[in-house]
Amino acid sequence: MIPLSPATRIFLAAGATDLRKSFEGLSDLVSHHLKQDPLNGHLYVFTNRRKNRLKLLYADGSGVWLCTKRLQGKGTFAWPAVTAPAALQILAQELTLLVSGIDLAPTHQRPWWRRVE
């Protein structure tokens, strides 16, 4: 189980990723294109060109997790379209909505006080 504490940051790799990559290939993308450390305990989420598959990369200190979800039929994930490789930070609640099939674009966060890290 992947624990999502308030200290765990979640990054979406905007755009499409070749999901034939495994641990090393996705770690390389995190290091070189997203300019992050793949072993820092944060969660990285990738999708393919058709947006019907997700891969999550997470290092828990003792190893690296690689989780996959594939949608059946014609379903797709709502994914931000960005031309340059970028890491978009989202909240754990937004990840739950994204994986559940809810488009984050028309939704908005109500103004709340949040601790800035």
Side-chain angles (χ1 to χ4, degrees):
M1 176 161 204
I2 298 175
L4 293 178
S5 73
T8 304
R9 293 182 181 168
I10 303 168
F11 295 98
L12 295 183
T17 303
D18 181 3
L19 291 188
R20 293 176 290 182
K21 297 177 189 275
S22 188
F23 298 97
E24 290 80 14
L26 293 176
S27 294
D28 183 57
L29 282 176
V30 171
S31 296
H32 295 98
H33 294 287
L34 304 180
K35 307 295 187 215
Q36 298 280 331
D37 178 13
L39 302 177
N40 61 8
H42 300 314
L43 185 68
Y44 299 93
V45 187
F46 305 90
T47 192
N48 61 345
R49 183 174 31 92
R50 292 174 42 198
K51 298 179 184 71
N52 64 349
R53 295 176 190 222
L54 288 181
K55 279 196 176 181
L56 286 74
L57 185 71
Y58 173 73
D60 66 0
S62 65
V64 179
W65 289 78
L66 185 62
C67 302
T68 303
K69 180 171 183 173
R70 179 182 68 188
L71 295 177
Q72 300 295 327
K74 296 182 180 180
T76 60
F77 293 104
W79 203 260
V82 176
T83 55
L88 304 174
Q89 188 171 347
I90 64 171
L91 300 171
Q93 298 89 338
E94 292 172 318
L95 177 63
T96 302
L97 293 174
L98 182 76
V99 172
S100 300
I102 297 174
D103 189 358
L104 297 178
T107 63
H108 66 278
Q109 178 91 22
R110 302 230 359 125
W112 287 23
W113 178 85
R114 292 199 187 275
R115 174 173 287 196
V116 177
E117 293 141 4

